[in-house]
Amino acid sequence: MSTVNPKTAGSETRRGPGGLAHLLPRTADLTRRQFAQISALARSVCGLNLHSRKRELVKARLHKRLRQLQLDSFDEYLDYLRSDASADELVAMLDALVTNVTSFFRHVEQFEYLVGVVLPRKIAGAAESGRRLRIWSAGCSTGEEAYSIAIAVAETVPHIGAWDVAILATALSTGVLRRASDGVYTAERLRPIPLHLRGKYFTRVQARPKELYRVRENIRPLVHFRRLNLMGLWPMRGTFDVIFCRNVMIYFDKATQDRLIERLREVLAPGGTVFVGHSESLTNPDRGFRYVRPAIYEKP
Ligand SMILES: C[S@@+](CC[C@H](N)C(=O)[O-])C[C@H]1O[C@@H](n2cnc3c(N)ncnc32)[C@H](O)[C@@H]1O
């Protein structure tokens, strides 16, 4: 019977004849110090709040970047980040760290409120305030939120051609924005959309191997995708009637949330509506908004 030498057992497994482990990519360690530097960077650039319990998640998400750049350690990666004057790698890092989970008509009761209360009020006031509608999807991810808004508007506003409608959709990540402006989704992703609306606003562009659908031109021009860091400058002029800023603030620390909420208030028209995620609040503490119903607020 052969005995196993614990000192060499690992290397035998990695390199031994017939073993495949040496073909697998090595995983660089992410030390506390390296994690602290990465999270300080993410916090200062885009307000991201990376708790120490997210160390493994950060390591897993950034490991792919290390492999693509053929770097062996997170120290090398940090050096690379600092020396990259174009800041392209910083954007790629944030792309990898930000969560982009979303879906069509997510939190459907908010869309019911948009269609049942907000838009009818806007339509009723059009004679006075004009046929102009501005909506911002702040943190739009892959576009499902913005196109859901566009469908809701197209279904509710009569003679939409006579209106000046613009839905601004912004996100931090360039990768998701590319997908958002392509507007191509799998049949699976379209599932939350009622069947009759799927046919009206999407067209099938591929049957196999995956069934793919593209947003139709009857709503596509209503949506304008732009890259925007919510922590940076906001170049848009004028105010919004409605802002969707859902499931974005939860990733920020308290000070960043406070600053963001104050700025959202500034760009919202009086009487305008804000939709947030279900674990986000605009009235606790008081921040100058009126609570309407869960995750729905108005500017008095
Ligand atoms: C979880 S997704 C939410 C998507 C959508 N609002 C929803 O609720 O389904 C988070 C979004 O926030 C955006 N985001 C996170 N931090 C940001 C920042 N500092 N500036 C701009 N967008 C940011 C991401 O790009 C992503 O699109």
Side-chain angles (χ1 to χ4, degrees), residues 46 48 98-103 106 139-141 145 171-173 228-231 246-248 251-252:
C46 71
L48 218 57
V98 163
T99 299
N100 285 303
V101 174
T102 189
S103 57
R106 185 180 193 184
C140 65
S141 190
E145 180 175 276
L172 185 65
S173 158
L228 183 133
N229 180 354
L230 288 168
M231 298 307 106
R246 310 184 307 163
N247 311 299
V248 178
Y251 302 107
F252 299 159

Side-chain angles (χ1 to χ4, degrees), residues 9 36 38 45 111 143 177 192 197 213 215 232 252 255 262 276:
I38 287 169
V45 176
F111 287 92
L177 277 172
L197 298 180
Y213 291 81
V215 174
F252 299 159
E262 180 50 36
V276 295

